[in-house]
Amino acid sequence: MLNMRISRRAAVMGATAAAAWLASPARALVQAAGRLVVPGFVDELIARMTLEEKAGQLSLMASAWGGGKATALNPPSEGSSFPQQVEEARQGLLTGVFNGNGARMARILQIAAVKDSRLKVPLMFAADIIHGHRTIFPVPLAEVASFEPDLARRTAAAAAFEAAGAGIDWTFSPMVDVARDQRWGRGVEGGGEDVLLGRLFADARVRGFQGDDLKANDRMLACIKHFAAYGGAEAGLDYNTVDMSERTLREVYLPPYKAGFDAGALSGMASFNEISGIPSTGSHWLMTELLRGEWGFQGFIVSDYTGDEEMIPHGFAKDGRDAARLALLAGVDMSMQSGLYRKHLPELVRSGDVPLATLDQSVRRVLAMKAMLGLFDDPFRRIDEKRENARSMLPVNRSLAREAGRKAIVLLKNDGDLLPLPRTGKRIALIGPFASGQHDLVGPWVVYGDDARAVDLATGVRAELADKASLIVVEGSGVEEPLAGGIEQAVAAARQADVVVLAIGESQGMSGEAQSRTEIVVPEPQLRLAEAVAAVGKPIIVVLKNARALALQGAVADAPAILVTWFLGTETGHAIADVLFGAYGPSGRLPASFPRKSGQEPYYYAHKTTGRPNPPGPRQDYKAQFRGIPNSALYPFGHGLTYGKIEYAGLMLGSPTLPMNGEIMVGARITNHGDRAADEVVQLYIHDRTASVTRPVRELKAFRKVALAPGQSEVVSFRLSASDLQFIGRDNRPTVEAGMFDVWIAPSAESEGVHGSFELLA
Ligand code: BGC
């Protein structure tokens, strides 16, 4: 996969640049990253440890400080009290805690570990830093809409700067689960439906969190989760069964994890789900044969929360002792929260059911990681109460949040160039449950961020208007319940206005863990609000708040302008206002397809053709389609408009053939005929017409964001080589087969753009 990644860089950068990259210091860093360095003292230390102390190094617990913040985000469990945890640290029975409450808490526990415990092994502190610490950036899925992996590297680095300042050594991030069923609530934490985007954003986020030096006090260890295929849950139901071919696993679901580990992540988290009958947490094939054997991973794996214990209800482990044995033997080094390792591992080793060498190996990995984080040199390197405050929500990070926010916004539709709005001369009715108020701003999976410190939409819009009185703000409806008199007030406001901005969608509680939905729609009371407002007849701009792709209907789908604004975090209101009033031209693209109806899910652009493909044009019977709708997206993956008028023309192919060891140039002329500047995301897709294993209708192979001034025209070209045309063959290994390929350069996965074909020669 490393080769594939480099070959894609080659595709985008061109062969000469690729050769330079192969010889560059940056590549040397890529290769060095991901190596576990085990200092000599680690084995000496292990030799002095009791079995109880060893099991302690493999036991991570939710912080009990202040009642335990973590329990708000996880199912409640019988945690210890904070004084008990301090005592456990003194006895060497704890490797660290997670989702604690900052430097002060960390200092108390660290003192107990390094001053009062027998062997003085430092603790490490973990947290779910998913999209920011105090400054909250857009939810990960939204950030992927930027099609700008380097933006994710920068926000991850900024999150690490704040979090490491608060004593956090290790983040449970990035989540890189490919999600192709939008009913699943956790797609919001990841990279969307596409493999290439998933790989690039996994790589970027790891680099951002970790930087070049894991000892630095503004960096933290990344954790690739949830290994593996958690996003493949049947029916999009969280925690549900995953049953898939090894080929699909290797081709679609595994590459983003591999990219994250290749980028240097030295920890990973086992997923809750089973894969084809074997829970990941107990899968020796996954955790040891594939991950360590085939991929050469050297770091350590932690269970996801009580994932080891959950093998009992899975029907895979008999009891807690059996679960601890199965998980450790599979290759899960550390147990989170269940306490099963420290309860059972000493006895399991004494009875011979777990070899001592296996236990020691896991302890070695964890201690080496603590050394790489610099904790043996200075256990307090990230624990500094003054620095914690000094780094919190600095203007530079807020401005990065605003940049990331506006780059994440996707313009689905803009009939009659309704957007951007003028700053003066129009009365605006801002209507909907997300129009104003300090709620639903930071989004799901935030431990330390605060809605109260985020900018709401009304504040952002008001800041842009010279005449503040030209804005009327009305709630109109609750999120899932109607509001008494809400519709009447909304209709009255719309009547007084020239234009309506309708802020509707999902609340942050409707996505995230355990928040799967059966219907991925705007909730009914808000639809009624939209219908009533639309009946007034004023132009409507829908500003969607959403953490997944939605099936848009009725007045929402029919509105002349629709913006997808996700959960954008601290700078929500400013970022949306930047786009509404044109200070920033929208450039985001959908990382997940918006289907026509919920019932199409799982819907993703890279589906197979079937023997009876759904043809374009008038409906034909007996084709792979549902009653009443074509089996295509309403707004496909990759779709997103700009304020320019973009034309794709003149496909250029360097040659009609591509030799197995060669390259082919594919280009097109992209022109902005509009009178506003535009950032266009130019996408290259391929389709393998015939192969020994059937291939998707299209696959994204490269993309580039180009800035086009009004009237500007540019030739955008890419280079493809045979390795870009690779797939997982019949023997479940990467293979390349000669034959005919279609190629498109297009503005989305389902638009024609410009199209041609070439032959890959044997
Ligand atoms: C989630 C993980 C998270 C962990 C710790 C689990 O419920 O699945 O993503 O890192 O809790 O909060």
Side-chain angles (χ1 to χ4, degrees):
M1 296 308 292
L2 185 64
N3 287 341
M4 277 186 74
R5 178 153 49 81
I6 287 164
S7 104
R8 214 209 62 79
R9 274 174 193 270
V12 175
M13 297 181 344
T16 327
W21 157 251
L22 287 171
S24 72
R27 173 162 156 93
L29 266 178
V30 169
Q31 288 182 327
R35 291 226 183 102
L36 191 74
V37 181
V38 189
F41 71 82
V42 162
D43 283 318
E44 287 166 29
L45 197 53
I46 291 174
R48 296 176 54 204
M49 291 170 94
T50 63
L51 288 177
E52 284 69 21
E53 285 165 339
K54 289 177 184 178
Q57 283 308 313
L58 306 183
S59 299
L60 181 76
M61 303 303 281
S63 162
W65 175 272
K69 177 81 175 164
T71 48
L73 293 165
N74 301 108
S77 54
E78 287 167 34
S80 6
S81 66
F82 189 69
Q84 251 173 296
Q85 271 180 350
V86 173
E87 190 48 37
E88 287 164 6
R90 278 198 192 108
Q91 290 176 22
L93 300 179
L94 199 58
T95 200
V97 297
F98 66 96
N99 291 349
N101 300 59
R104 201 169 138 235
M105 175 217 74
R107 181 174 297 283
I108 297 171
L109 281 168
Q110 194 68 301
I111 288 173
V114 301
K115 296 233 158 67
D116 305 338
S117 77
R118 194 175 75 88
L119 294 173
K120 319 219 174 309
V121 178
L123 299 176
M124 68 180 168
F125 297 93
D128 286 285
I129 307 298
I130 310 295
H131 52 113
H133 179 243
R134 299 267 184 215
T135 309
I136 303 299
F137 300 102
V139 287
L141 182 66
E143 204 174 54
V144 173
S146 70
F147 272 60
E148 201 178 301
D150 197 56
L151 179 69
R153 185 193 58 77
R154 289 162 60 212
T155 60
F161 170 82
E162 283 188 357
I168 294 163
D169 305 296
W170 176 28
T171 175
F172 296 146
S173 185
M175 184 281 220
V176 304
D177 307 322
V178 170
R180 295 188 153 187
D181 191 326
Q182 297 299 313
R183 291 173 293 182
W184 194 47
R186 298 198 75 172
V188 63
E189 295 170 56
E193 69 178 55
D194 182 61
V195 184
L196 176 63
L197 276 187
R199 283 168 47 209
L200 294 174
F201 277 81
D203 173 285
R205 289 182 169 136
V206 169
R207 288 174 201 287
F209 288 131
Q210 297 195 163
D212 297 337
D213 178 9
L214 272 176
K215 287 194 164 75
N217 71 16
D218 58 354
R219 299 295 188 173
M220 53 190 180
L221 173 65
C223 179
I224 302 299
K225 73 185 190 186
H226 307 80
F227 193 63
Y230 184 32
E234 283 178 0
L237 175 65
D238 206 3
Y239 316 124
N240 205 11
T241 307
V242 175
D243 199 343
M244 64 172 62
S245 68
E246 187 178 335
R247 182 172 306 113
T248 300
L249 186 65
R250 286 184 180 272
E251 186 163 299
V252 177
Y253 288 85
L254 293 182
Y257 306 105
K258 177 76 165 66
F261 291 126
D262 283 346
L266 276 166
S267 80
M269 190 183 286
S271 58
F272 284 130
N273 55 287
E274 67 164 66
I275 305 177
S276 308
I278 319 289
S280 297
T281 312
S283 174
H284 188 266
W285 175 77
L286 190 65
M287 298 298 167
T288 299
E289 289 160 54
L290 179 102
L291 181 60
R292 299 188 187 280
E294 215 180 291
W295 291 2
F297 174 67
Q298 297 183 358
F300 73 93
I301 295 290
V302 62
S303 70
D304 187 0
Y305 209 67
T306 45
D308 47 4
E309 195 166 24
E310 291 170 29
M311 288 195 288
I312 305 170
H314 265 294
F316 195 74
K318 282 200 291 282
D319 49 26
R321 181 183 187 275
D322 200 27
R325 183 183 65 85
L326 285 167
L328 191 81
L329 292 182
V332 173
D333 303 286
M334 186 184 283
S335 166
M336 191 197 297
Q337 192 62 12
S338 69
L340 290 189
Y341 276 21
R342 61 185 185 194
K343 186 161 175 205
H344 297 292
L345 284 183
E347 185 275 320
L348 277 164
V349 170
R350 283 188 192 108
S351 65
D353 286 338
V354 164
L356 178 62
T358 309
L359 175 69
D360 285 354
Q361 174 67 283
S362 292
V363 177
R364 181 178 294 108
R365 289 175 186 140
V366 171
L367 294 182
M369 203 55 245
K370 288 186 174 181
M372 286 183 76
L373 284 162
L375 295 172
F376 282 98
D377 307 337
D378 176 5
F380 298 93
R381 66 195 313 125
R382 295 184 183 80
I383 303 175
D384 180 332
E385 292 80 340
K386 284 206 188 102
R387 197 164 54 211
E388 175 172 14
N389 287 329
R391 286 187 184 178
S392 180
M393 298 190 89
L394 295 181
V396 63
N397 278 352
R398 289 197 79 128
S399 101
L400 178 59
R402 184 166 180 166
E403 177 193 341
R406 56 199 204 174
K407 283 181 169 168
I409 294 171
V410 184
L411 177 62
L412 293 185
K413 186 177 181 190
N414 192 19
D415 290 356
D417 290 337
L418 182 54
L419 286 170
L421 289 174
R423 282 193 177 73
T424 54
K426 284 219 189 282
R427 282 162 305 163
I428 302 172
L430 174 54
I431 298 172
F434 306 109
S436 69
Q438 304 312 116
H439 62 95
D440 295 293
L441 299 170
V442 295
W445 267 114
V446 167
V447 184
Y448 305 98
D450 192 355
D451 267 338
R453 301 192 64 189
V455 181
D456 71 338
L457 181 55
T459 306
V461 168
R462 205 171 281 122
E464 297 293 318
L465 298 172
D467 175 10
K468 311 292 179 203
S470 62
L471 180 70
I472 320 163
V473 182
V474 172
E475 191 175 349
S477 170
V479 178
E480 296 186 87
E481 300 295 332
L483 197 67
I487 289 194
E488 292 72 19
Q489 283 171 13
V491 165
R495 285 210 180 101
Q496 288 171 48
D498 301 306
V499 62
V500 174
V501 175
L502 199 55
I504 53 175
E506 301 182 297
S507 64
Q508 62 195 33
M510 291 167 73
S511 62
E513 188 172 344
Q515 300 302 327
S516 298
R517 296 184 68 192
T518 53
E519 307 293 327
I520 51 168
V521 293
V522 172
E524 185 62 32
Q526 297 183 67
L527 279 182
R528 267 184 264 133
L529 171 70
E531 300 293 346
V533 169
V536 176
K538 302 291 170 65
I540 295 180
I541 297 150
V542 169
V543 172
L544 281 178
K545 186 168 280 288
N546 55 315
R548 52 164 67 77
L550 295 175
L552 305 178
Q553 322 168 357
V556 178
D558 294 343
I562 305 174
L563 284 171
V564 171
T565 70
W566 320 102
F567 289 85
L568 297 179
T570 303
E571 291 291 317
T572 297
H574 290 317
I576 299 175
D578 285 343
V579 170
L580 281 176
F581 296 99
Y584 183 82
S587 61
R589 299 301 172 112
L590 292 180
S593 301
F594 275 49
R596 295 171 190 277
K597 298 275 184 195
S598 298
Q600 283 175 279
E601 291 296 315
Y603 185 86
Y604 46 93
Y605 83 89
H607 57 79
K608 298 292 185 76
T609 56
T610 80
R612 295 187 176 187
N614 179 203
R619 185 181 175 86
Q620 297 173 27
D621 278 341
Y622 296 99
K623 300 294 179 193
Q625 64 206 352
F626 294 94
R627 286 170 64 91
I629 52 162
N631 196 29
S632 56
L634 183 59
Y635 295 107
F637 172 89
H639 174 77
L641 302 176
T642 67
Y643 288 155
K645 296 261 174 299
I646 308 296
E647 180 199 41
Y648 284 62
L651 183 85
M652 287 161 242
L653 269 174
S655 153
T657 57
L658 166 60
M660 214 29 108
N661 293 321
E663 282 187 342
I664 189 171
M665 186 279 291
V666 189
R669 177 165 288 284
I670 316 295
T671 307
N672 180 5
H673 292 292
D675 53 14
R676 285 179 165 269
D679 287 333
E680 176 69 7
V681 179
V682 181
Q683 300 154 47
L684 184 147
Y685 295 91
I686 61 136
H687 168 60
D688 187 345
R689 285 190 191 165
T690 316
S692 59
V693 170
T694 61
R695 305 300 306 142
V697 288
R698 279 199 196 184
E699 291 172 87
L700 181 70
K701 289 294 166 182
F703 58 86
R704 188 173 314 149
K705 201 185 259 191
V706 285
L708 294 170
Q712 191 181 341
S713 184
E714 198 173 299
V715 171
V716 176
S717 65
F718 303 91
R719 284 178 186 279
L720 290 177
S721 62
S723 57
D724 292 307
L725 310 177
Q726 202 168 255
F727 61 92
I728 301 297
R730 291 194 182 193
D731 57 359
N732 288 330
R733 289 161 194 268
T735 180
V736 186
E737 290 175 5
M740 288 303 296
F741 287 81
D742 290 296
V743 61
W744 293 262
I745 294 187
S748 83
E750 291 181 8
S751 58
E752 192 54 18
V754 287
H755 172 220
S757 61
F758 63 87
E759 184 179 4
L760 174 63
L761 301 175

